[in-house]
Amino acid sequence: AQSVTQLGSHVSVSEGALVLLRCNYSSSVPPYLFWYVQYPNQGLQLLLKYTTGATLVKGINGFEAEFKKSETSFHLTKPSAHMSDAAEYFCAVSDQDDKIIFGKGTRLHILP
Amino acid sequence: EPEVTQTPSHQVTQMGQEVILRCVPISNHLYFYWYRQILGQKVEFLVSFYNNEISEKSEIFDDQFSVERPDGSNFTLKIRSTKLEDSAMYFCASSQGQGGEKLFFGSGTQLSVL
């Protein structure tokens, strides 16, 4: 069975600082990995995904994530935080078959 | 960009009442899903639907829940007799292909059971 663990339900960073949101996964088969973002009162929006190939994937709004099989991790980063990045971020895994399994989410707060 | 549309955005109901949550997936998509998110908790898979039948469902999706694609455009989730613990944000999603490669999510229906 697949699962996702997101470390830290809340993360605060200063505007302009590095954003690092941690995600570890468990999967018995090569996984598809995703990061979704949820802005207040909105639905889930795909930030980026890893399926196969290059392990460093770039997404929208300057975010990127690196698939590290040896660490079973897929951490999300952004070099310089912006106020508009404040949102809830969900890491997710799929076993290439059908459904996506989500982590509990990390709420990102941006400090002025 | 095409989008998944959900109505209503908020639904308030009394415990024991039936509710129907409506979704219009993207027109050329073939796979349809419902997820829910109880306040403060993770987004949970409920059910997937393909070729006019349920392809997978979670433990949450008991006999009180049903899904239907009554016509070529709508995808509905029905809860027959709502319980307090059914209060959550319900997300509809659709995709063109399998493998979760790109699910498009709607903006959700906030269900409050009183």
Side-chain angles (χ1 to χ4, degrees):
Chain A
Q2 308 150 285
S3 66
V4 170
T5 303
Q6 290 184 243
L7 297 176
S9 57
H10 291 266
V11 170
S12 296
V13 301
S14 297
E15 191 174 17
L18 171 72
V19 175
L20 171 61
L21 304 182
R22 299 178 186 275
C23 172
N24 289 89
Y25 70 90
S26 172
S27 177
S28 57
V29 298
Y32 287 178
L33 294 160
F34 310 83
W35 276 98
Y36 281 84
V37 61
Q38 184 182 23
Y39 297 102
N41 301 315
Q42 294 187 28
L44 296 163
Q45 182 181 0
L46 181 67
L47 262 183
L48 51 79
K49 65 180 180 185
Y50 167 79
T51 54
T52 58
T55 56
L56 180 64
V57 291
K58 296 183 186 299
I60 61 172
N61 302 337
F63 284 93
E64 61 183 38
E66 186 171 11
F67 169 59
K68 291 188 176 180
K69 184 178 178 181
S70 60
E71 299 177 8
T72 60
S73 69
F74 191 58
H75 302 330
L76 181 71
T77 60
K78 181 174 180 177
S80 177
H82 192 272
M83 295 300 290
S84 60
D85 295 326
E88 185 105 22
Y89 291 80
F90 294 92
C91 182
V93 63
S94 164
D95 66 1
Q96 307 176 30
D97 185 19
D98 198 351
K99 66 183 185 291
I100 287 180
I101 302 297
F102 287 86
K104 291 187 176 182
T106 298
R107 183 163 295 279
L108 177 63
H109 304 270
I110 309 297
L111 307 172
Chain B
E1 188 173 65
E3 59 181 25
V4 175
T5 306
Q6 288 186 245
T7 56
S9 56
H10 292 86
Q11 173 102 37
V12 181
T13 190
Q14 295 291 324
M15 190 170 58
Q17 295 296 306
E18 174 184 286
V19 294
I20 297 176
L21 309 183
R22 303 182 190 280
C23 170
V24 179
I26 294 171
S27 61
N28 64 343
H29 284 187
L30 301 175
Y31 297 82
F32 311 108
Y33 308 82
W34 282 101
Y35 285 78
R36 79 171 185 190
Q37 183 184 22
I38 295 172
L39 186 64
Q41 299 186 26
K42 65 180 179 180
V43 178
E44 301 171 292
F45 169 78
L46 290 179
V47 66
S48 59
F49 191 86
Y50 170 72
N51 200 25
N52 284 320
E53 60 183 23
I54 291 174
S55 47
E56 188 172 357
K57 59 183 181 179
S58 72
E59 294 174 353
I60 303 167
F61 195 88
D62 60 22
D63 292 343
Q64 293 297 317
F65 291 88
S66 62
V67 289
E68 195 178 30
R69 190 154 161 80
D71 50 43
S73 59
N74 290 284
F75 180 51
T76 61
L77 174 69
K78 182 192 290 186
I79 309 174
R80 287 191 188 79
S81 179
T82 50
K83 304 189 264 293
L84 295 176
E85 54 265 37
D86 293 328
S87 295
M89 177 74 87
Y90 288 81
F91 291 105
C92 174
S94 70
S95 66
Q96 198 167 38
Q98 246 187 332
E101 268 211 47
K102 191 162 187 181
L103 284 190
F104 286 80
F105 282 86
S107 56
T109 294
Q110 180 65 54
L111 176 65
S112 298
V113 182
L114 306 178

